[in-house]
Amino acid sequence: MVSRRRILGLAGTGVGLAVFGAGLVGCGPEEAAGTPSGSSKPGGGKKDGGFTTPPPGTAPEPLWREAAANTSLSGNEALAVTGNVALVAGDPLVGRDMATGKEKWSRRGVTTPGAKLIFGGGTLYLASAEYDGDVVGLDPVTGKETWRSRLGKQYEQPRPIAADDRHVYVLAGILEKDFTSPNNVIAAIDTTSGKVAWREQRDAGTEEFGITAAAVDGRLVYTDYRENVTVRDTATGRQLWTKKISRSNNRRFAVHKDLVIVADGRRLRAFDLAGGKERWSLRTEEFSAFNDPHVLDGVLYAADSARAMWAVDPATGKQIWHNEELRDKATQAWQFAKVNGTLYGATEFDKDGGVHAFDAATGKLRWTYNDKSGDIQQWYVAAAGDRLAAMHGKRIYALPAV
């Protein structure tokens, strides 16, 4: 099998164009995958004119299901929910009503293949599909373009990596006379004026791809293929600190108050956001490694490669619970969402995986939804009020989440 790193690596390179192609469209509703695992009841039953999740051991049936043009090239940011609109990265880029699944808007050829869904200040930022160096902003509710800017002609195809209310942060290669770009910059574009607020050349040897980033409380945090964690000041671009970790982390890290928390092999490590000092470290069992950490409602959740689940106090690193009962029951989850007392986990590269529903207080497995498609592609989840958006391959579902 192709390694996870290799698959996600293709998302950030032009290889995805040649190997996967662009604009792949899923099947229609009448070709939906089979029934979910377990004894299913639509919506898990009715309550006060709405719906409820089913009891433990019973998987729900989707409230609706629709085709999605996802090509799995966008990594973590392939599925997003804003307000009552669910968006799936792909061509066309489509916004769907979470209540009904109906298409609210569709834009074909609006961005480059594999573009991540980057949100800031209520705007969706994307690299222009024209490969003209422009960065565009869309209203995620209507799909209409509301903003456009560029870094400069001397830079190769800027790609948004994060955004906040003030800036959209981009990476771009520095074009040489021979049209190569051995070096690159990280820059901030002002979302009000469209002007470049700052640009900083990164160290020689750094790569433009494999970057995961977040802008939080005046700090731009990012990890990369080169096994670094780096923090910059969002106002000036000045690098505040950078740390080496023992493995590349190109998928997800967590930020909690004044800490950035990364999965580093057998350890979860928390660094001080201001200065980079390691504040705590938590180790998992021998021969296993932590997957992507998520902080939801003030609790850090993570699975490990031995299929155990962890809940941790993100401020101290102290274990809240550690559930090993899932080793024979469930495949490991890589992405989480939480609604009230239920923690939802999406699995990857396993035909028997799907969306797990856990008791957030204990980590015990309640049920697993699987569409029985046999597709090993990873699942995605995103909370949407009393519903859960779930995506698998070229299909998006809404599951009850109350």
Side-chain angles (χ1 to χ4, degrees):
M1 293 180 61
V2 179
S3 71
R4 178 171 66 189
R5 181 184 298 179
R6 178 60 176 156
I7 291 172
L8 292 175
L10 292 174
T13 68
V15 176
L17 292 171
V19 176
F20 294 98
L24 302 180
V25 180
C27 55
E30 68 279 4
E31 299 173 293
T35 58
S37 60
S39 173
S40 300
K41 296 180 180 180
K46 297 290 181 179
K47 181 180 180 182
D48 300 328
F51 51 81
T52 61
T53 54
T58 304
E61 196 170 286
L63 301 169
W64 54 260
R65 65 187 84 194
E66 295 290 345
N70 170 49
T71 61
S72 299
L73 295 177
S74 302
N76 301 332
E77 292 84 6
L79 171 68
V81 173
T82 176
N84 69 335
V85 180
L87 297 98
V88 175
D91 192 12
L93 178 65
V94 175
R96 292 191 179 276
D97 189 305
M98 273 302 302
T100 64
K102 293 182 178 180
E103 185 178 291
K104 294 177 70 72
W105 57 265
S106 177
R107 293 284 304 273
R108 187 175 293 279
V110 71
T111 189
T112 55
K116 299 179 179 182
L117 302 177
I118 303 295
F119 291 88
T123 299
L124 170 63
Y125 294 100
L126 302 161
S128 168
E130 301 300 321
Y131 293 93
D132 53 7
D134 283 4
V135 178
V136 298
L138 304 182
D139 180 345
V141 176
T142 64
K144 294 181 179 179
E145 183 177 318
T146 59
W147 185 91
R148 180 177 288 259
S149 183
R150 66 168 49 203
L151 190 60
K153 293 183 178 180
Q154 67 271 40
Y155 300 102
E156 179 188 34
Q157 191 58 25
R159 291 173 299 284
I161 58 172
D164 56 26
D165 290 343
R166 295 182 58 190
H167 301 131
V168 55
Y169 305 93
V170 300
L171 276 178
I174 303 172
L175 280 173
E176 303 292 343
K177 292 181 179 180
D178 60 359
F179 298 104
T180 61
S181 54
N183 298 304
N184 63 89
V185 297
I186 190 166
I189 302 175
D190 189 289
T191 55
T192 300
S193 66
K195 295 180 179 180
V196 177
W198 53 260
R199 62 171 67 89
E200 294 288 332
Q201 182 169 334
R202 298 174 70 215
D203 294 340
T206 55
E207 299 177 1
E208 298 175 52
F209 309 106
I211 302 291
T212 298
V216 182
D217 294 333
R219 301 287 186 265
L220 177 64
V221 187
Y222 55 96
T223 57
D224 59 41
Y225 276 152
R226 295 286 187 173
E227 303 174 357
N228 298 303
V229 182
T230 304
V231 175
R232 292 180 181 271
D233 184 295
T234 58
T236 65
R238 182 173 63 91
Q239 182 171 298
L240 301 177
W241 58 268
T242 186
K243 294 280 186 180
K244 278 287 184 183
I245 55 178
S246 65
R247 61 182 295 181
S248 64
N249 185 323
N250 66 306
R251 296 218 311 188
R252 186 182 295 275
F253 54 82
V255 176
H256 175 72
K257 296 183 178 178
D258 60 344
L259 298 176
V260 53
I261 305 164
V262 300
D264 186 6
R266 289 184 58 195
R267 293 189 295 163
L268 288 175
R269 302 176 67 187
F271 299 99
D272 181 79
L273 195 56
K277 181 180 179 181
E278 185 168 322
R279 295 266 289 272
W280 60 258
S281 175
L282 178 67
R283 187 179 295 271
T284 187
E285 293 94 342
E286 192 174 5
F287 307 121
S288 65
F290 277 111
N291 293 327
D292 311 303
H294 293 62
V295 174
L296 303 169
D297 293 340
V299 178
L300 187 150
Y301 298 99
D304 64 32
S305 58
R307 299 185 181 180
M309 284 282 295
W310 298 74
V312 177
D313 182 340
T316 65
K318 291 183 178 180
Q319 175 184 310
I320 299 173
W321 51 255
H322 176 213
N323 192 334
E324 301 181 72
E325 298 176 355
L326 305 178
R327 290 180 175 175
D328 298 325
K329 297 180 181 179
T331 53
Q332 61 182 309
W334 77 281
Q335 188 183 63
F336 294 100
K338 188 177 180 182
V339 179
N340 297 325
T342 302
L343 179 70
Y344 298 95
T347 69
E348 60 177 349
F349 310 138
D350 193 318
K351 65 181 180 62
D352 297 320
V355 177
H356 299 319
F358 305 102
D359 184 323
T362 65
K364 292 185 179 298
L365 182 67
R366 293 183 55 202
W367 47 258
T368 298
Y369 172 77
N370 186 296
D371 59 13
K372 295 293 184 74
S373 66
D375 192 334
I376 67 169
Q377 289 193 59
Q378 60 198 37
W379 287 76
Y380 296 81
V381 289
D386 59 359
R387 298 165 191 262
L388 186 77
M391 185 172 68
H392 185 217
K394 296 177 176 60
R395 177 69 54 186
I396 181 171
Y397 308 87
L399 300 178
V402 292

